[in-house]
Amino acid sequence: MTEQETPLWEVFIRPRNGLAHRHVGSVHAADEVLALDAARDVYTRRGEGNSIWVVRSDAIAASDPDHADETFDPTADKIYRHPTFYEIPEDVGHM
Amino acid sequence: MYSQGLIGADGRTEESEAFLDAFQKRIDAEEKIEPKDAMPEGYRRTLIRQIGQHAHSEIVGMLPEGNWITRAPSLKRKAALLAKVQDEGGHGLYLYAAAETLGVSREQMTEELLSGKAKYSSIFNYPTLNWADMGAIGWLVDGAAIMNQIPLCRCSFGPYARAMIRVCKEESFHQRQGYEIMLTLCRGTAEQKQMAQDALDRLWWPALMMFGPHDADSAHSEQSMKWKIKRFSNDQLRQKFIDATVPQAEYLGLTVPDPDLRWDDSLNGGKGGYAHGDIDWDEFWRVVKGDGVMNRDRIKARKKAWDDGAWVREAALKHAEKRAMRKTQEAAE
């Protein structure tokens, strides 16, 4: 097909106030106005939310899954970051 | 909501044994595979093909039912049918989006559908001749699709599994509205009941074919099961569908058009199930390969929709360009 490709947008929906927007999928649209319209039609046919964000897919930077081990390694081996690392006598009560 | 057993998968792959073993271990541990993860080429290719076929089936599946929207017998039926057809369009779009995460473009997939290279569920190459077909499609075709799709919610590929969860949630209304149409017809006049029987007679066998060829003839099924793209074999799913559907037909007072259909205590590991007659696989392959009653018509309709929409896509892109330019100019002022 020789025609120009229509850009891809990632869609985020907030189910209700108090919750964060959550990724639900993507749509193709020429601009953000049409992307919001398409996202409403495709992803909110049954009261799934009260707010939509759309973001151009090519504007998202992502971590590399091939480097996931190095990237996320420090979270596992620093056990002193967790409350259970510290010993508090039971007599002290809930802390 | 219309998947069919995958047709023409090619699970061949050339990666090193160490890589394939490590990948298999992740699958066996029920880890989900996400789009940017390293994966065997065969896994990627199989998924692109399967999700693509599934998406195309949803989109082409809008046609046989769309055919009856203007002729629905009441406003209630019309509203329900419109909502159902809109859902199918939505399901197609979720699925295209899931396939696109694997590196295939929407335009490429559309082109493959329009050129006839990509397949879609053979069921949509049958015509919808009377209003009862709307009932039989919801009941049987969506029913068969649900059987196929529930296990796909646990597919090893994350985006496909997530799309399937959404689809299955939305789906149950489709089957219920279809069965309700059948029930209304069966409780109506003798002529209306005959319409329901006629729809069942024509759609029963094509619905069974939706599960794809017998396991013994399903070339790449085994690899798909190993990679946990599929969880049950074609024949297992077909059996489940028959066991669930035959009592529903009895409730309607309709006759399943299979003289060999009978209860068999030895099926399903001794729990019993319905043994069925031979499926006409020649017909299946004939329809898959393009010689069903409606194949040409369906593709023609999709081509027309694509071509007629060209000016809209073009105008939208131009408009977006113009707005972006204006914004830059305003910022410069």
Side-chain angles (χ1 to χ4, degrees):
Chain A
M1 226 153 276
T2 49
E3 69 178 274
Q4 201 184 337
E5 295 194 356
T6 305
L8 189 65
W9 302 74
E10 298 303 319
V11 180
F12 300 81
I13 289 179
R14 184 175 64 205
R16 56 173 195 274
N17 283 14
L19 295 177
H21 284 76
R22 193 169 164 226
H23 184 244
V24 293
S26 49
V27 292
H28 283 276
D31 60 27
E32 72 282 5
V33 180
L34 292 170
L36 280 170
D37 272 356
R40 188 207 58 174
D41 289 348
V42 177
Y43 292 102
T44 65
R45 286 194 303 283
R46 287 178 176 79
E48 285 87 343
N50 64 7
S51 170
I52 304 175
W53 288 350
V54 290
V55 181
R56 277 281 293 248
S57 304
D58 54 19
I60 291 181
S63 62
D64 183 347
D66 288 342
H67 298 146
D69 284 351
E70 306 92 281
T71 312
F72 300 106
D73 177 50
T75 55
D77 68 359
K78 294 185 173 56
I79 52 172
Y80 45 83
R81 283 178 168 165
H82 298 281
T84 47
F85 181 74
Y86 303 94
E87 275 184 41
I88 305 286
E90 258 180 47
D91 299 344
V92 178
H94 177 70
M95 185 179 279
Chain B
M1 125 83 60
Y2 295 120
S3 89
Q4 168 164 290
L6 178 61
I7 298 166
D10 178 3
R12 274 176 311 140
T13 204
E14 285 170 7
E15 290 79 4
S16 73
E17 213 160 295
F19 174 79
L20 292 173
D21 283 351
F23 183 76
Q24 191 60 47
K25 276 212 182 83
R26 292 188 61 192
I27 299 279
D28 292 342
E30 297 290 335
E31 239 180 82
K32 292 280 185 225
I33 307 303
E34 294 295 341
K36 291 196 168 161
D37 292 354
M39 63 184 85
E41 255 328 288
Y43 181 82
R44 182 186 302 275
R45 215 169 33 234
T46 301
L47 276 166
I48 288 179
R49 195 173 183 117
Q50 175 160 344
I51 303 172
Q53 281 181 11
H54 197 161
H56 297 324
S57 300
E58 302 284 355
I59 299 299
V60 176
M62 296 166 82
L63 298 169
E65 290 179 300
N67 179 35
W68 279 91
I69 289 173
T70 55
R71 290 174 287 164
S74 68
L75 187 57
K76 171 187 152 186
R77 297 291 185 209
K78 186 175 187 167
L81 192 58
L82 259 175
K84 180 176 190 291
V85 171
Q86 194 193 3
D87 272 355
E88 311 302 357
H91 297 171
L93 296 180
Y94 308 156
L95 286 160
Y96 281 132
E100 282 171 83
T101 65
L102 288 160
V104 61
S105 76
R106 176 76 60 87
E107 283 77 3
Q108 221 173 316
M109 284 187 283
T110 305
E111 191 185 48
E112 286 187 1
L113 172 67
L114 298 185
S115 71
K117 189 175 168 227
K119 302 289 177 221
Y120 55 87
S121 185
S122 55
I123 191 84
F124 302 117
N125 291 318
Y126 291 85
T128 43
L129 301 178
N130 79 44
W131 168 253
D133 291 16
M134 297 304 98
I137 284 183
W139 170 39
L140 300 173
V141 176
D142 287 80
I146 290 171
M147 286 288 174
N148 250 331
Q149 288 172 160
I150 286 178
L152 287 174
C153 296
R154 294 188 293 129
C155 168
S156 60
F157 185 57
Y160 194 22
R162 290 192 287 272
M164 278 300 101
I165 290 170
R166 284 189 71 85
V167 167
C168 285
K169 261 192 204 160
E170 297 180 353
E171 195 60 25
S172 87
F173 120 68
H174 297 183
Q175 194 187 12
R176 290 171 64 106
Q177 69 90 33
Y179 194 74
E180 199 200 70
I181 291 173
M182 295 301 271
L183 200 55
T184 307
L185 288 166
C186 289
R187 285 174 176 166
T189 63
E191 204 185 358
Q192 286 169 329
K193 189 167 180 184
Q194 184 48 44
M195 278 169 69
Q197 181 65 55
D198 170 60
L200 174 60
D201 289 347
R202 282 180 291 107
L203 288 164
W204 173 257
W205 291 104
L208 296 192
M209 292 176 196
M210 284 175 67
F211 295 95
H214 279 312
D215 296 348
D217 307 315
S218 183
H220 298 280
S221 237
E222 208 177 311
Q223 183 61 65
S224 285
M225 300 264 287
K226 215 176 142 210
W227 278 334
K228 300 198 177 175
I229 294 172
K230 259 174 95 101
R231 297 274 175 168
F232 296 98
S233 76
N234 296 354
D235 285 333
Q236 283 172 323
L237 290 167
R238 184 163 23 238
Q239 187 63 47
K240 269 190 190 206
F241 172 73
I242 295 171
D243 292 341
T245 310
V246 170
Q248 294 165 356
E250 282 170 1
Y251 186 85
L252 293 171
L254 297 179
T255 310
V256 174
D258 177 359
D260 297 321
L261 189 78
R262 62 186 164 77
W263 182 260
D264 183 340
D265 279 328
S266 71
L267 288 178
N268 295 323
K271 275 191 283 182
Y274 288 94
H276 61 87
D278 292 334
I279 294 170
D280 183 354
W281 292 112
D282 290 341
E283 175 182 319
F284 173 75
W285 287 114
R286 204 163 53 237
V287 176
V288 166
K289 289 183 178 149
D291 276 327
V293 179
M294 299 301 284
N295 295 58
R296 286 170 205 77
D297 208 74
R298 300 292 185 234
I299 293 302
K300 206 170 109 192
R302 287 312 309 155
K303 265 200 189 123
K304 183 174 185 311
W306 181 255
D307 292 343
D308 289 355
W311 72 270
V312 180
R313 295 190 295 277
E314 212 177 296
L317 284 167
K318 278 279 168 241
H319 182 65
E321 230 173 76
K322 197 173 80 184
R323 282 184 59 228
M325 227 158 68
R326 214 174 270 162
K327 240 188 202 168
T328 343
Q329 273 171 3
E330 272 168 24
E333 275 164 21

